[in-house]
Amino acid sequence: MKKILYILIVMFSISSCDEGFEDVNVDPTKASQIAISNKLTTAQLQVSSERYDNWRANLIYCSTIMQHFATTAGYWSGDKYTWNRGYASSLMDRYYENPVKTLEDMLVQAEAESQPEEVVAIIKVLRVFTFHRLTDLYGNIPYFEAGKAVIEGNLTPVYDSQSEIYADMLSELESAAAVLGSGTSSFGDADIMYQGDLAKWKRFANSMMLRLGFRLIKVNPTAAQEWVTKAINGGVMESNADIAYIQHTAGPEGINRNGNGEVFTADGNPRMSETFINFLEDDPRLPILAARRSDGSTEISDLKGLPNGLDSSLLLDLTGEENTDAYAEPNRAIITGEGAPMFFQTYAEVAFLLAEAAERWGLAGGDPEPHYNAGVRAAMKMLAIYSADALIEDATIDEYLLIKPFNPANALEQINTQYWAATFLNEYESFANWRRTGFPVLTPVSYPGNVTGGTIPRRLTYSESEQANNPTNYQAAVDAQGPDQLTTRVWWDVQ
C-alpha cells in the first residue's frame, strides 16, 4: 500500500487532464523532488495505460480490425470500419499527456543528477517503445519537440516525418543497447518489468530493434536487413523469461489495474471473431482464450466465433439469433482480469521474426523451422503467466506441431499468421505487423455506412483538439502524409 500511495503522488505530480500537446510536460524543477526510480514505475504503468485508450484504440479499433474480436455493438467502430474521431485518437491523447511527458522529464532529471548511463539507456528504450507505438498507429507525429513545452517553451510542436522518427528510434536503441550490460540498475524493484536486470533490458532493446527493422521491409528492404542483422548480433530475447510485460494487480483504478481487464469488467459486448476461432481449430490455446458467453463453457464444440461487421439486425437476418450469448467471448476465468499481465513484446514474437529473418536472408542460422517451432511453443507456454490453469504441457504442443507442422512452401504466411495469434490482446502490434506483411489474409467487412469503401483501415486518426490548438503543424502533417483518414497509409506501409 505504501508503494501504491507513492505512485499516486507521482502521477498527480506529473499529470494533467488537458488533451492538447501544449500540455505534454511538467516543470522539471518540481518533478525532480520525486526520485527518478519512482517515476520509472509510473512511466511503465502509463505505457501499459488505463481503460480509456485500451478500450477505444486497442480493443474497439485494433482488435476488431484484426478480427480477433467481433461484436454487434454499434460503438465498436473498428468492427464496422466507421469513424469515431475521439476513439481513434485516444492513444495519442493519453500517451502525450502521460508517458511522453514523464519520460522527457526523466531524461532532464537524469542529466541534472548525472545518473549512470544505464539509467538513461533504460529510459530511452522505454521512450522508443512509447513513440514507436504512436507513430505506427498514426504516422507523422510530434517527436523531436514532443514533451518539451516547459523545457523549451514550445506549445505547438512540429509533426516529424515517420522516416526521420524511425531513423532516430533505431539509433537510440543501438546506443542504448551498447551501454546495457550485466548486473542490476539503480532502479531495482522500482522497475516493475525487469527489476533492474540490465541484461534483460539489453535483450529488449535489441528485440525492439528487430521489430522496428522489419517495419522497413516494404519501404527499404536493404536497411531492414541491416538493422535486423544488428539486432540479432547484439542479442535478442532467448526465452519467455525475457518477455517485456507488466504484471498488474487489482489495485487502485487507473494505477495498477490492467487497462484491457478494466474494459472487460465494464463491457460485455466483445465476442471472439469467427476468423480467430477458425484459426484456433485443433489448437490447445482455444479453451484457454475463449469461453461461451451464455454459460462459460470451454468445450470445443461450444466455442463458436461471431462474424465481423454485423449489428443486431444483420445478425438476426443472417442467423435468426436475437443475441450473441451462444458465441464465444474472451475467457473470463483466465485472461480478462484486472490483475492480468500486459505484454509489450514477447519471446514468441521474437522467435517468429527470427524465423522470418532466416527465411528471407539466411540469418539466425539460416533455417526458419526451429525458430518457428520455438515461437509456437513460447506462445503457448507464456499463457501460464496469466494463470496456472493456462499451462499447456509440452507433449500437447509437440502433438500440435505434428498436426500442423512448419511448411517451407508457405513460410512467410505461416510465420506471420502465428505472430498474429501470439499478439492477441496486444492489438497495436497485431495491426502493425499485419500492415507490414499482409498476413493473416483477412476478408474485409462491408457494413452499411463504413468510411473506408469496404477496405481494412490502415491507421487511426489525429486528435480533433490539434486542429484548434496546433493548426499549422497539424495541417502540415496532413499535407505531407495524406488525408487524416483511416485509409491513409503511414510511411513504411507502402503498397
Side-chain angles (χ1 to χ4, degrees):
M1 179 60 72
K2 182 177 180 181
K3 179 69 173 178
I4 291 171
L5 290 174
Y6 206 105
I7 294 170
L8 280 164
I9 293 169
V10 173
M11 295 190 75
F12 283 128
S13 299
I14 63 179
S15 295
S16 151
C17 61
D18 295 326
E19 295 190 355
F21 292 146
E22 70 275 12
D23 295 308
V24 296
N25 238 175
V26 291
D27 185 338
T29 61
K30 293 181 180 178
S32 64
Q33 299 173 8
I34 300 167
I36 198 168
S37 59
N38 287 286
K39 289 184 183 179
L40 179 68
T41 310
T42 299
Q44 290 174 326
L45 291 170
Q46 288 174 335
V47 172
S48 182
S49 208
E50 59 191 286
R51 185 176 79 174
Y52 181 84
D53 44 313
N54 278 296
W55 199 346
R56 292 158 176 79
N58 189 47
L59 296 180
I60 284 178
Y61 265 108
C62 293
S63 78
T64 53
I65 290 172
M66 286 296 93
Q67 298 181 19
H68 281 143
F69 287 135
T71 178
T72 57
Y75 65 91
W76 278 68
S77 310
D79 184 65
K80 299 160 181 62
Y81 309 163
T82 55
W83 192 15
N84 184 313
R85 185 180 283 273
Y87 288 5
S89 69
S90 59
L91 183 75
M92 175 173 273
D93 295 336
R94 281 300 184 262
Y95 264 28
Y96 276 101
E97 72 177 9
N98 288 323
V100 166
K101 69 178 183 181
T102 301
L103 290 162
E104 292 299 326
D105 173 65
M106 289 177 70
L107 289 173
V108 171
Q109 183 174 348
E111 182 178 2
E113 296 176 352
S114 299
Q115 290 283 347
E117 60 181 359
E118 64 267 18
V119 165
V120 176
I122 287 171
I123 298 168
K124 287 185 174 182
V125 172
L126 189 59
R127 180 179 178 275
V128 168
F129 180 88
T130 301
F131 275 110
H132 107 269
R133 183 172 273 184
L134 282 166
T135 190
D136 286 347
L137 201 58
Y138 298 103
N140 295 356
I141 56 170
Y143 178 76
F144 294 103
E145 295 181 356
K148 293 179 170 59
V150 172
I151 299 168
E152 298 181 359
N154 184 352
L155 304 180
T156 54
V158 169
Y159 283 61
D160 300 293
S161 69
Q162 190 176 60
S163 60
E164 293 177 320
I165 294 169
Y166 254 75
D168 191 72
M169 290 192 302
L170 285 163
S171 177
E172 289 281 80
L173 289 173
E174 184 177 27
S175 62
V179 302
L180 291 168
S182 59
T184 304
S185 80
S186 58
F187 284 126
D189 288 340
D191 171 10
I192 57 175
M193 191 159 69
Y194 285 136
Q195 293 73 52
D197 189 319
L198 295 176
K200 289 186 178 183
W201 274 103
K202 184 181 184 72
R203 290 192 285 273
F204 180 37
N206 285 319
S207 298
M208 284 290 299
M209 188 188 300
L210 181 70
R211 175 191 280 182
L212 300 191
F214 264 115
R215 290 283 204 272
L216 307 181
I217 195 69
K218 292 198 291 186
V219 70
N220 191 338
T222 299
Q225 182 177 354
E226 290 173 354
W227 282 107
V228 166
T229 302
K230 283 185 184 181
I232 294 171
N233 290 342
V236 295
M237 292 181 186
E238 298 173 350
S239 72
N240 281 349
D242 291 331
I243 292 175
Y245 74 100
I246 301 297
Q247 181 60 63
H248 286 277
T249 68
E253 183 178 358
I255 304 299
N256 284 344
R257 295 181 182 181
N258 181 299
N260 287 337
E262 290 185 293
V263 174
F264 296 126
T265 297
D267 194 338
N269 283 306
R271 301 289 179 268
M272 303 292 280
S273 168
E274 181 180 56
T275 305
F276 194 33
I277 292 292
N278 288 347
F279 169 80
L280 292 171
E281 182 182 8
D282 298 324
D283 192 311
R285 287 172 287 191
L286 178 54
I288 294 171
L289 299 179
R292 186 163 60 185
R293 170 67 177 182
S294 60
D295 58 5
S297 172
T298 57
E299 291 294 325
I300 301 302
S301 59
D302 292 337
L303 300 178
K304 182 171 65 169
L306 179 69
N308 288 89
L310 301 178
D311 56 24
S312 296
S313 177
L314 291 172
L315 177 71
L316 183 63
D317 292 343
L318 181 67
T319 67
E321 296 167 319
E322 296 184 349
N323 61 54
T324 60
D325 288 351
Y327 292 88
E329 66 174 357
N331 188 341
R332 292 179 177 273
I334 295 177
I335 66 170
T336 66
E338 294 180 3
M342 184 74 85
F343 296 103
F344 292 178
Q345 189 176 25
T346 67
Y347 169 60
E349 297 169 49
V350 170
F352 291 131
L353 292 176
L354 292 176
E356 184 170 346
E359 173 66 21
R360 287 185 181 274
W361 303 304
L363 299 175
D367 184 357
E369 183 171 3
H371 298 298
Y372 173 84
N373 291 342
V376 170
R377 188 174 301 278
M380 293 185 180
K381 299 296 283 188
M382 66 177 265
L383 296 179
I385 298 174
Y386 284 100
S387 166
D389 294 334
L391 178 66
I392 300 176
E393 298 293 343
D394 289 332
T396 302
I397 301 172
D398 293 340
E399 182 179 357
Y400 174 84
L401 289 171
L402 284 174
I403 296 171
K404 296 188 175 181
F406 178 71
N407 180 6
N410 195 33
L412 291 180
E413 180 174 2
Q414 193 175 23
I415 290 164
N416 284 289
T417 301
Q418 286 285 356
Y419 192 102
W420 165 75
T423 50
F424 175 60
L425 295 181
N426 182 3
E427 304 297 339
Y428 301 119
E429 183 57 24
S430 291
F431 186 33
N433 199 65
W434 173 81
R435 286 177 287 159
R436 178 183 75 84
T437 67
F439 299 123
V441 176
L442 300 174
T443 301
V445 306
S446 185
Y447 183 78
N450 76 81
V451 298
T452 68
T455 63
I456 298 174
R458 310 302 297 196
R459 67 184 282 271
L460 297 190
T461 54
Y462 297 133
S463 299
E464 197 166 17
S465 64
E466 276 295 276
Q467 296 180 51
N469 297 327
N470 193 9
T472 300
N473 291 319
Y474 167 83
Q475 190 58 50
V478 171
D479 291 344
Q481 180 167 267
D484 191 14
Q485 298 173 356
L486 300 177
T487 51
T488 296
R489 291 172 179 253
V490 301
W491 166 74
W492 52 254
D493 182 25
V494 297
Q495 288 181 296

